[in-house]
Structure formats: structure tokens, C-alpha cells
Amino acid sequence: MAIRAIVLAAGKGTRMKSAMPKVLHRLAGKPLLGHVLDTVSSLGPASMTVVIGHGSDQVKDTITHTVNWAMQTEQLGTGHAVQQALDGIEDNDTVLITYGDVPLTRAATFQALLDVTNKDQLGLLSLIVDDPHGYGRIKRVDGAVTGVVEQKDANEEELAINEINAGVLAVNGGALKAHLSAIDNNNAQGEYYLTDIFELAVKAGQTIQTVHPDDAWEAEGINSREQLAELERVYQHTRAAELMAAGVTVRDPARLDVRGSLTTGTDNEIDVNCVFIGECSLGNNVSIGPNCVISDSHIGNGSVVLANCVLENAHLEANCNIGPFARLRPGSNLSAGAKIGNFVETKNADIGEGSKVNHLSYVGDSVVGRNVNVGAGTITANYDGANKHKTVIADRASIGSNSVLVAPVTVNEGATVGAGSTISKDVPPEMLTFTRAQRKDISGWKRPVKKKKS
Ligand code: UD1
Ligand code: CA
């Protein structure tokens, strides 16, 4: 008695006005179909089959889940689509059917449908709406569902019904196969309607059990970019609510975007317009200023990220201080109490405990020890035009402003590099080292004067 999932995703999505298939458009950084497959796979199905048609190669190339692909070359209707996905379905399996463009259905809602489904009962996700226009209507007699009628086939009385078919259902495998073999396309749209199986099931003595989602947006599909934007906000609002419930102060839940996972301790604060991408984590008492973009990074206890920072694959231990306007590129690892100031770029750099790179510097392919001070405008020249080389700056070293450290090079412990130096050989420990052109003072020199036009 396995669970088998079928996800319909062959449609074109004309209203998206896009060369990309609709189900690949992204919500919170993830394709719509990816959301559906993530949720469905959490139910532990024996298989997931995705019915594809329009842009099928693109869909296959983008989606990384383990699924069976079923081709539907011509979109002859939802019933026809499911007919393409029946391979491997056994009579006593329970089949969950949903759409690839309905991204936010909760796992618990799918589970509720599976729970009411057996060989005598079908589960159908329905909801009561103010405006049922466009949806299939749920027909009932004495409370019991007798079928679903599509908008274009409905009579006046049926059009007035405001309980609609969300499009998600669960059905016994044997019943599904039997009923699908009996549907035709004799209707207003000339399509094979999946929804015709409900009337056939009732005729065969089965009953239809409706399940309602906790929130209407769980059943909302995306047909336009406007609907995509609306559902994105719904999704982000739920993410912000989760963070606040976990002890994070979110300055404005309407101005936060989480595109991936964000694990967090307590007493963190996130200011407006921050975007978290991929897998991010925060310790406790972390403060993040406005307009930060943080991807695949960890920010340790008590650290402060000031406004307008961009972090990618960075790891900050406790009490670090970043920004404003700092860019931490992949492999930036900051030990406790490190400080990266404004207009500083780091990449593949270990910054030791208590060390500071406060202004306008580039530190790349570098290992910086403890309590080092890197002066304003210091550049680690790591690239010789062909290969990258490493810079080592040992504990307590101090690099004067506007220095260039030409890698491979080591500045040893306690060394002081004078301002404006170009260092291309290792610097000895505990000394002052500098390179500087001889100063010249020229007396009697006159500035050029502007010639008068004749
Ligand atoms: C369908 C339901 C309707 C329900 C509504 C909910 C039918 C006949 N009608 O209507 O009762 O209220 O969804 O949104 O099922 N698809 C394919 N192949 C096809 C046709 C559709 O893969 O041949 C896919 C589409 O890509 C889409 C989904 O099935 O993801 C639904 O198709 P759509 O045309 O939007 O169905 P509706 O007419 O809106
Ligand atoms: Ca639709």
C-alpha cells in the first residue's frame, strides 16, 4: 500500500509571457515545481511522477529531485495528463495528484487527503471562496459530493456554487485506473477532465471526502507574474512569522526575504530589506543592519553586521563586526572579535582573533593572524595574471595604509610595514619595513599658467 505522487506540469503558462516553462519560475529562489516536490517528498512516497510537456527539456535539466518523467506531448486535459503517469501504479496504492504550479500546499494538507483515502473513499481538496469564477464547482446532494463540474460546463445553478475544486486529490490506484479508462472529452472544452472521475466514483459506490486547507493560499495556483509576486509575499510573511516566533526581532516582516533555510538562535535582530539565500545560520544576539544580502553563511553570537553588506559563504565566529558596505566573498572566515570595515573585500581569507581590516582594502587568498591591523587601502596582490598566490600576515603585524603585499609573501610576527610600501619579499618579525621613493623638494618651481586666447 504505497503512496505514489503524480504532479501535473505539462501546461504552457501562456499568461506568464515567458520562454521558460511556468513551473520553473522561482518563488523564494526555488522553482515552483521544486516547492511541490520538496513537500510531496516529505510524505515519503514510493515514487513521484511529473507529467511534462511544454519546455520539458528545460524542466528535466533544472529539477534535481528523483522523479519519473512522463511526457504529455499534447495537452488534452488533466485526465489525459494523469493517464500518461499510470506506469507502476498498483491497485492498492494510494495516489496523490497535484499541480506543479500550486507551490505552497502544506504537507499536513496532503497527509489529511491521504488519511481519508482508501478503496471506497476519494479525498478531494476543496474550499469555499467569495469568487468561484474559473474553478470547477463541487456538486453535493444532501451534503454528499456527487461530482465536480467545470466552469465552462456549468449551468446557472452550478455556477452559483462557491465550493471549488482546488485540483489536489488522493485516490486508490485501482479506482483511478478504472475511472480514467472511462472518461471522454465530450464537454465544452473538448478535454479529458480528471475531475470526471468523481462522478464515476460515486456511481461505482465510492464516496468523496473533502478536506479543506488551513489557509486558502495553500490551494492557489500561479498563472501570472502578479500571482507569483502575491504568493511570494504570502510565503515570506510566513517565514518572517516563524523567525519572530523563534525569538528574532524582524523590523519589518514585509521587507524580509528568505530564499532557503535560516536557522537562528534568540535575541537576533534583522533590519529592513535583508535577503538570506541558501543555508544561513545565526547564533544568538546577532544584529543585522538594513540592506544586507547574506548567502550560505554563519554569523556567530554577538556579531554585528552593519548596513549594506554582502556575505557569501562566509563564517563569522562570535563578536565580529562587519561593514557598513563590506563584501565577504566565499571562504571568508573570521575568528572571534574580527572586524571588517567599510569598502573592504575579502575572499578565501582567514582573519584571526581581534584582527581589523577597517577601510578600503582587498584581502584575498590570505591567512591573517591574531591582533593584526591592516591599514586603509591595503591590497593583497594575489594574482600574477596566471596563478593565485597566498599572503600570510602573522600575529600582531601592522600594515601601513596604501600598502601592496605582492603574493606569495609573508609578513612575520609583530612586523610593521610602513605606509605606501610595495612588499614583494618576506618581512622579518618585530621590525619596521618600508619601501618608499625618495622625497624631492624643488624650490622655485612654477605651476603652469593658462594661456590667454588671442
Ligand atoms: C483544473 C480543474 C478545476 C480546478 C482547477 C484548480 C480539471 C478539468 N479542472 O482546472 O476543477 O478548479 O484546476 O486550479 O481538472 N495540465 C497538464 N496537462 C493538461 C492540462 C493541464 O499537465 O493536458 C496541468 C497544467 O499544467 C496545470 C494543471 O494541470 O498545472 C491544471 O491545469 P489547468 O488548465 O490550469 O486546469 P483548470 O482548467 O484551471
Ligand atoms: Ca489553473
Side-chain angles (χ1 to χ4, degrees):
M1 225 210 65
I3 298 168
R4 306 238 171 227
I6 297 174
V7 181
L8 305 190
K12 187 166 184 212
T14 313
R15 282 201 276 152
M16 297 301 280
K17 303 249 171 67
S18 175
M20 184 166 69
K22 177 165 70 174
V23 291
L24 294 186
H25 282 261
R26 286 169 191 268
L27 185 147
K30 183 158 68 178
L32 299 176
L33 180 56
H35 282 272
V36 177
L37 295 174
D38 278 353
T39 312
V40 169
S41 61
S42 78
L43 305 165
S47 64
M48 300 193 287
T49 299
V50 183
V51 182
I52 46 176
H54 282 283
S56 55
D57 288 339
Q58 253 179 295
V59 177
K60 283 194 211 167
D61 287 348
T62 309
I63 298 294
T64 53
H65 296 72
T66 305
V67 301
N68 305 317
W69 300 108
M71 267 308 282
Q72 188 196 24
T73 3
E74 261 189 299
Q75 280 70 59
L76 304 179
T78 49
H80 179 260
V82 175
Q83 282 168 346
Q84 315 310 307
L86 296 177
D87 264 9
I89 290 177
E90 306 281 340
D91 284 354
N92 53 8
D93 289 342
T94 301
V95 183
L96 178 71
I97 302 174
T98 189
Y99 302 160
D101 58 3
V102 180
L104 299 184
T105 319
R106 289 189 173 100
T109 302
F110 287 136
Q111 190 59 54
L113 282 168
L114 293 170
D115 290 346
V116 298
T117 302
N118 56 43
K119 65 183 191 5
D120 302 316
Q121 294 187 172
L122 283 70
L124 162 63
L125 191 68
S126 82
L127 63 169
I128 313 279
V129 295
D130 293 336
D131 178 14
H133 185 84
Y135 289 98
R137 313 294 207 281
I138 311 286
K139 297 199 291 177
R140 291 180 186 266
V141 173
D142 297 331
V145 176
T146 57
V148 173
V149 61
E150 292 305 301
Q151 165 86 23
K152 288 186 177 144
D153 299 279
N155 62 35
E156 199 101 329
E157 198 184 326
E158 290 163 339
L159 287 174
I161 299 170
N162 65 351
E163 183 183 14
I164 58 118
N165 168 33
V168 187
L169 64 109
V171 53
N172 162 265
L176 176 66
K177 287 190 278 186
H179 302 323
L180 272 184
S181 69
I183 65 171
D184 59 34
N185 63 353
N186 200 356
N187 52 51
Q189 301 185 82
E191 286 182 8
Y192 294 89
Y193 291 163
L194 175 60
T195 42
D196 281 356
I197 70 167
F198 296 109
E199 199 175 308
L200 292 164
V202 171
K203 281 188 181 140
Q206 292 152 359
T207 59
I208 317 298
Q209 304 293 320
T210 51
V211 164
H212 302 305
D214 283 351
D215 290 290
W217 46 256
E218 288 188 66
E220 267 165 40
I222 287 170
N223 298 304
S224 66
R225 296 190 196 241
E226 193 176 348
Q227 289 167 342
L228 179 63
E230 279 165 16
L231 272 199
E232 173 85 37
R233 278 305 105 207
V234 164
Y235 174 87
Q236 295 300 348
H237 199 87
T238 64
R239 296 303 301 268
E242 280 166 20
L243 287 168
M244 291 187 283
V248 178
T249 295
V250 175
R251 277 294 154 216
D252 183 358
R255 284 182 288 168
L256 172 69
D257 284 77
V258 182
R259 301 177 188 156
S261 68
L262 174 57
T263 54
T264 171
T266 56
D267 293 310
N268 296 323
E269 183 174 337
I270 302 173
D271 212 326
V272 299
N273 295 330
C274 288
V275 183
F276 293 88
I277 300 166
E279 285 177 27
C280 295
S281 58
L282 310 177
N284 301 316
N285 295 300
V286 171
S287 168
I288 299 175
N291 309 321
C292 292
V293 181
I294 299 175
S295 344
D296 297 306
S297 294
H298 170 75
I299 302 173
N301 295 339
S303 287
V304 176
V305 177
L306 297 171
N308 300 303
C309 290
V310 179
L311 279 65
E312 190 186 348
N313 243 296
H315 187 100
L316 279 58
E317 287 180 7
N319 303 315
C320 292
N321 206 302
I322 306 298
F325 295 100
R327 179 171 183 212
L328 274 52
R329 291 171 53 205
S332 296
N333 295 312
L334 276 53
S335 296
K339 194 166 182 304
I340 302 293
N342 40 223
F343 307 108
V344 171
E345 173 183 345
T346 63
K347 183 215 74 175
N348 189 23
D350 293 342
I351 310 291
E353 240 177 87
S355 290
K356 296 173 184 166
V357 188
N358 274 339
H359 329 267
L360 298 154
S361 292
Y362 171 66
V363 179
D365 298 314
S366 298
V367 175
V368 176
R370 299 169 174 221
N371 298 318
V372 167
N373 189 70
V374 176
T378 297
I379 304 294
T380 57
N382 58 333
Y383 187 49
D384 61 13
N387 297 298
K388 301 274 170 72
H389 300 283
K390 188 172 163 183
T391 301
V392 176
I393 307 175
D395 297 353
R396 294 182 294 101
S398 174
I399 313 297
S401 295
N402 201 31
S403 293
V404 183
L405 306 178
V406 183
V409 71
T410 295
V411 177
N412 281 292
E413 268 189 54
T416 302
V417 172
S421 298
T422 298
I423 302 293
S424 52
K425 289 202 180 75
D426 290 0
V427 175
E430 315 292 349
M431 281 191 211
L432 169 66
T433 299
F434 63 89
T435 66
R436 202 167 281 173
Q438 181 100 47
R439 168 169 161 170
K440 289 180 184 140
D441 298 309
I442 298 169
S443 63
W445 180 78
K446 293 270 183 319
R447 287 185 196 164
V449 288
K450 203 166 185 171
K451 282 181 191 152
K452 280 197 178 123
K453 281 185 187 147
S454 54

